Amino acid sequence: LLYSINWEVKGYPIEGTDNKTEVLGPISRVSMATSIDFHGDFIYWADSDHGTITRIRRDGTGRQAVVEHFEAIENVPTDWLAGLAVDWIGENLYWSDPKLNVIEVSRLNGSSRYVVIPNGIQSPHSIALDPFRGYMFWSETGKEPRISRAGLDGSNRMILLNFTSGKVSDIALDYLFNMVYWTDIDLNTIERMNYDGSGREVLLNHSLDNPFSLTHYNGKVYWMDITHEKGSIKVAPDTNLSDFTIILKNAGDSLKDITVFSQQRELGTNPCAKNNGGCQELCLFNGKQPVCACAHGLVDKDGKSCKDYDTFLMYSRVVRIDSINIYDKSNLNSPFPFIQSKELMKNAIGITFDYKHSTLFYSDIQRGAINSVSFNGSNHKII
């Protein structure tokens, strides 16, 4: 059992009730581990304070921030990252961003970052994936709270459930019976429904308890309660959540997320499992076929490789140069990675370009220099 509190990620044995048993070395230097997941030997967590996703091996090695935010939209009083989930077949990482109201995806190492749900959502929160069937589920906590579903490529979006009251704090999936489970922090309930939104059922309704996050594994539901027994983790058969056992108590009110670390969860396959589906960058399975996506640029005619845009806008943001699409404002994926250099770029002012050689020139007023750099950020130098 893998769980997070505000400042730490911890492990706990599923079998046994000895609170002192440590099955995971301490993972510290964590400021706000809002959401956790795993793949292979890596544990991933989202830090909602700093807008980062970090991973580390179970033995404590290989710690790396794979996703970082560079924006400074501090006039929006919400967290950067709310939820994350691993596509263990396509080896991609998905996360929800309630500050920008998007859902993004990247490779497991943070490369090929791509906005897969760019619009039409408000305060996306928890996210869960079924890579075998090509589904992505997420909750929204904005003006119109709801749970929605889409393909892993963002296609075929549908609202499964609208809420007139309550607030979903976490969602989890039963891969065997195709069920969506969720905790409601306002109504203090645990509920479930089918993948298509039918068959809604309240499983637990204890008004004094506060179920906050949950996971489903091997016919059982594990959930965190931030008030009962001064912060507890419980388990019960999914057929009767009232028949629960408290496996951890006195954990405090800083409990955040919970999952079961087990290779038995990473079952199934899809076309993205073999050679990345033939895709140059991202392979996103929509339940029927693999869809290739490019973090920057366009998918070429072969449907697999990526090619550069021939028309785009580039502009200076003082310490970096960004690009945006001219013709499609709904496409939030920039034509090129942003250009940045702590050594060479201090205050980029004037910009011009040589299209034939894909080269950008800019004047840096703070360095008193004129620099050149390729559109893709390479060959950055003072001229």
Side-chain angles (χ1 to χ4, degrees):
L1 203 61
L2 198 62
Y3 70 98
S4 65
I5 55 179
N6 276 357
W7 57 88
E8 198 172 354
V9 178
K10 294 186 173 187
Y12 191 83
I14 287 181
E15 303 299 331
T17 56
D18 181 5
N19 286 5
K20 296 187 174 70
T21 303
E22 289 200 15
V23 294
L24 182 71
I27 300 175
S28 55
R29 288 188 293 125
V30 177
S31 66
M32 189 65 74
T34 312
S35 185
I36 52 175
D37 208 343
F38 72 95
H39 175 63
D41 216 35
F42 274 105
I43 295 167
Y44 295 78
W45 72 89
D47 183 329
S48 58
D49 276 358
H50 296 95
T52 59
I53 296 175
T54 306
R55 70 177 181 181
I56 194 170
R57 289 188 180 91
R58 265 195 303 175
D59 63 5
T61 64
R63 182 168 180 148
Q64 176 191 13
V66 294
V67 173
E68 297 182 84
H69 267 293
F70 300 95
E71 309 292 343
I73 312 181
E74 292 312 317
N75 59 335
V76 182
T78 54
D79 292 333
W80 274 116
L81 292 171
L84 82 127
V86 171
D87 168 5
W88 62 83
I89 298 176
E91 299 200 321
N92 298 320
L93 188 65
Y94 287 73
W95 66 94
S96 57
D97 187 331
K99 190 162 285 198
L100 297 176
N101 287 320
V102 297
I103 294 176
E104 294 191 60
V105 60
S106 74
R107 302 294 285 163
L108 289 176
N109 63 2
S111 64
S112 301
R113 187 169 165 177
Y114 177 80
V115 179
V116 66
I117 303 284
N119 51 44
I121 57 177
Q122 293 181 334
S123 301
H125 191 66
S126 300
I127 183 169
L129 309 178
D130 185 338
F132 175 61
R133 292 174 181 82
Y135 285 143
M136 162 175 43
F137 300 85
W138 71 92
S139 64
E140 297 173 47
T141 59
K143 293 180 180 178
E144 298 177 357
R146 57 197 180 195
I147 296 176
S148 300
R149 189 190 83 189
L152 292 178
D153 64 341
S155 65
N156 301 316
R157 284 165 62 175
M158 62 180 293
I159 298 170
L160 299 181
L161 194 60
N162 283 303
F163 293 88
T164 54
S165 61
K167 180 180 179 181
V168 175
S169 53
D170 197 19
I171 58 175
L173 303 179
D174 176 353
Y175 302 114
L176 187 60
F177 291 101
N178 301 347
M179 305 285 286
V180 184
Y181 287 74
W182 70 93
T183 49
D184 191 312
I185 194 64
D186 282 353
L187 301 178
N188 296 327
T189 59
I190 295 178
E191 302 183 49
R192 70 181 176 189
M193 63 181 170
N194 297 313
Y195 271 10
D196 61 3
S198 65
R200 181 180 180 180
E201 184 181 2
V202 177
L203 300 176
L204 190 71
N205 188 2
H206 290 175
S207 59
L208 296 178
D209 299 344
N210 291 107
F212 185 74
S213 58
L214 81 168
T215 189
H216 185 282
Y217 174 70
N218 205 18
K220 295 179 181 178
V221 177
Y222 297 80
W223 73 94
M224 289 176 154
D225 192 302
I226 55 177
T227 58
H228 188 248
E229 293 288 356
K230 297 181 179 178
S232 59
I233 296 177
K234 304 173 184 177
V235 59
D238 58 18
T239 54
N240 182 12
L241 263 58
S242 296
D243 182 23
F244 64 80
T245 302
I246 300 173
I247 57 176
L248 182 68
K249 53 187 176 182
N250 298 316
D253 61 358
S254 299
L255 295 167
K256 288 297 178 185
D257 197 18
I258 185 171
T259 190
V260 171
F261 188 103
S262 172
Q263 291 185 349
Q264 295 175 20
R265 299 194 74 171
E266 299 191 334
L267 300 175
T269 188
N270 67 43
C272 290
K274 186 178 180 180
N275 193 31
N276 198 36
C279 301
Q280 181 179 335
E281 291 191 6
L282 291 165
C283 181
L284 311 176
F285 182 55
N286 65 9
K288 295 181 179 179
Q289 61 192 31
V291 176
C292 297
C294 301
H296 307 284
L298 296 158
V299 179
D300 214 340
K301 293 178 181 179
D302 62 5
K304 306 286 186 183
S305 55
C306 302
K307 67 173 183 177
D308 290 342
Y309 281 91
D310 56 11
T311 308
F312 49 90
L313 192 68
M314 296 191 104
Y315 62 101
S316 165
R317 300 184 67 177
V318 183
V319 294
R320 79 184 221 200
I321 294 173
D322 273 358
S323 60
I324 54 174
N325 293 284
I326 287 182
Y327 301 117
D328 184 6
K329 67 178 182 179
S330 66
N331 184 355
L332 303 183
N333 299 291
S334 59
F336 289 94
F338 62 81
I339 299 169
Q340 192 173 36
S341 170
K342 292 181 179 178
E343 296 176 10
L344 298 174
M345 191 183 299
K346 300 290 185 183
N347 191 348
I349 299 294
I351 305 179
T352 189
F353 65 94
D354 173 359
Y355 191 88
K356 183 178 180 181
H357 296 98
S358 300
T359 301
L360 196 71
F361 301 89
Y362 68 92
S363 59
D364 192 309
I365 194 171
Q366 191 165 330
R367 290 187 58 89
I370 295 175
N371 298 350
S372 67
V373 61
S374 298
F375 289 166
N376 63 10
S378 62
N379 302 316
H380 203 162
K381 59 187 178 182
I382 300 173
I383 59 171

